Amino acid sequence: MTFEDQVEVTLPTGEKTKIHTGLLINGQFVKSKNGKKFPTVNPANGQVIAEIYEADKADVDDAVQAAKAAYKTWRHVDGAERGKLLSKFADLMDANAKTIAAIETLDQGKLYGISLFHTHASASTLRYYAGLSDKIHGKTMMDTNKFFNYTRHEPYGVTAGIIPWNYPLDMWTMKVGPAIAGGNVIIIKTSEKTPLTGLILGALAKEAGFPDGVIQVLSGFGPTCGQALAEHPEISKIAFTGSGRTGRRILETSAKSNLKKVSLELGGKSPALVFEDADLDLAANVLAGTFYYNNAQTCVASSRIYVQKSVADAFTQKFTAAAQAIKVGSPFAEGVTQGPIVDDLQFNQVLKYIDAGKQEGGKLVLGGNKIAGDGYFIEPTVFSNVPETSKIMTEEIFGPVVCVNTFETEEEVTERANNTTYGLAAGVFTKDLNRAVRVSSNLEAGTIWVNQWLNITPQVPFGGYKESGIGRELGEDALKEWTQIKSVKIAM
Ligand code: NAI
Ligand code: MG
């Protein structure tokens, strides 16, 4: 490994650590071919943390050639051996969790404790796929006495993952875990807003013993590096998480290039239904706790809350009190429960939505302002009685702005909840088990939470209905996205 491309940073915890700035191609951290770098910023104070090498088309091609070469050998590596490597990688993540988490907080703005949680959770995802690596089975079929048929679930070969900035560690491991379990080699492009921890994971993958070129990491921008991956004729599969606009672009690009398989996870406008028989304290605390979690930048955020009219005042009061108790500040500080928005672009976009909300006739119940200072901090904001067709009720905001509306009947609220082009998640708060099951089957979303929210685990598939995505991540189902079926038919 070349260490000349590392810079030393002092973390707010006082710890000094070195950060990779190169691209991880063919087992080496290297400079980009054109030598270009870009700054990555600490959203808590707007200061540049480091200048990172920026991948462009030529670097993407280098990575693809290295991946192709690596796959020639990698395709013969046993599932058990792939599992061993993933397992070792997971152990290294756990062992280095404090440093990974501190850098994540510095670059992304997540509270330090939450970064630590997601470091270990991401290691668990790798470990889950380590266990599945040697459990990939086909079927046998005897269709007549003359033929013996069997299926093999084979890798795609050279694959790529393009990931966003809201959960950089989870997104990285949710792509790499099943890709490797399925026998592929993979190139990960991190978000230009949060490139740092992806580079650390690349270094740990190398340390775990993955051969050169099997896992590669590129930092860079969407229209250049991302687009070059989507266009590349020698990449067979791409998995993307991010905005609908970019997801469509990747699908179009795939259609125009080599019809690479595309899986997409594209966010949502997820409805939470709070019925009059719900435990209102639980509903208010769970929804406020999870909505503002991760500085309110979560694809499955319960951004549309519908509460039954008879309990609307009581719920809104409890929910607003819980939101008001949130302490905004440095993500490293004790007692802080909400940190900054990831960068100035997102910050300004969220503020625009708040303005739109004020103009479109919703009632501003709480917050609605930016917080003065150098970082990108916004008050926890609550609107009630929001027009159903308004911008803040229909578009994904990705910031601390939630809408609370009322409903009268189950039928009516189910229809309103489903009246969206999105379908990532939804939830029901009720003590009536029959209603919970009935409403869960009527809601159009890939994940339904009952009397809880945001619980995502490696074992359970995750993905979107409607325009929230194509395909599934996590669970055994994700392996279907990273393998293709070959039928072998033998004459007897
Ligand atoms: P984005 O979709 O532009 O970025 C996500 C990833 O795609 C990044 O790695 C980016 O570099 C890459 N990318 C951008 N353009 C590309 C292209 N033409 N070809 C290939 N890759 C490309 O999202 P962005 O700009 O960071 O955030 C905008 C909005 O997207 C947010 O406000 C939010 O609504 C939504 N979003 C949804 C996420 C989710 O979890 N579903 C995560 C992040 C953002
Ligand atoms: Mg950053």
Side-chain angles (χ1 to χ4, degrees), residues 37-58:
K37 286 183 171 183
F38 68 100
T40 189
V41 167
N42 173 357
N45 60 17
Q47 284 172 12
V48 173
I49 306 163
E51 300 269 341
I52 299 295
Y53 284 100
E54 176 187 337
D56 207 336
K57 207 175 164 120

Side-chain angles (χ1 to χ4, degrees), residues 161-167 171 189-193 220-231 238 240-247 249-250 253 265-268 297-300 342-343 345-346 349-350 353 395-399 422 424 462 468:
I162 299 182
I163 61 173
W165 45 265
N166 56 341
Y167 290 95
M171 296 296 142
K189 188 198 97 57
T190 51
S191 167
E192 62 279 9
K193 300 184 198 311
F221 288 83
T224 48
C225 179
Q227 182 70 19
L229 288 166
E231 276 170 6
I238 205 156
F240 169 78
T241 302
S243 66
R245 194 174 51 89
T246 303
R249 182 76 187 260
I250 290 173
T253 307
E265 199 272 89
L266 305 176
Q297 303 163 122
T298 301
C299 52
V300 292
V342 74
D343 73 353
L345 287 172
Q346 287 294 124
Q349 187 172 312
V350 175
Y353 275 114
E395 294 179 19
E396 186 173 47
I397 300 177
F398 247 72
Y422 288 117
L424 191 59
F462 175 77
S468 284

Side-chain angles (χ1 to χ4, degrees), residues 212-329:
D212 294 351
V214 170
I215 297 175
Q216 302 182 89
V217 184
L218 303 179
S219 316
F221 288 83
T224 48
C225 179
Q227 182 70 19
L229 288 166
E231 276 170 6
H232 207 290
E234 292 173 293
I235 293 175
S236 311
K237 189 232 146 69
I238 205 156
F240 169 78
T241 302
S243 66
R245 194 174 51 89
T246 303
R248 277 167 203 270
R249 182 76 187 260
I250 290 173
L251 212 50
E252 265 170 37
T253 307
S254 157
K256 286 181 192 151
S257 57
N258 62 335
L259 283 180
K260 57 178 65 64
K261 307 298 173 276
V262 177
S263 56
L264 304 172
E265 199 272 89
L266 305 176
K269 194 75 186 173
S270 302
L273 281 49
V274 181
F275 286 91
E276 59 193 358
D277 66 340
D279 177 335
L280 292 187
D281 288 311
L282 174 98
N285 289 327
V286 165
L287 288 173
T290 56
F291 180 77
Y292 296 102
Y293 185 84
N294 200 37
N295 313 335
Q297 303 163 122
T298 301
C299 52
V300 292
S302 56
S303 46
R304 294 185 293 147
I305 299 177
Y306 290 103
V307 52
Q308 202 154 17
K309 215 160 201 165
S310 51
V311 294
D313 287 346
F315 172 82
T316 310
Q317 212 169 25
K318 288 175 194 289
F319 179 84
T320 308
Q324 203 158 16
I326 288 170
K327 193 171 167 220
V328 184

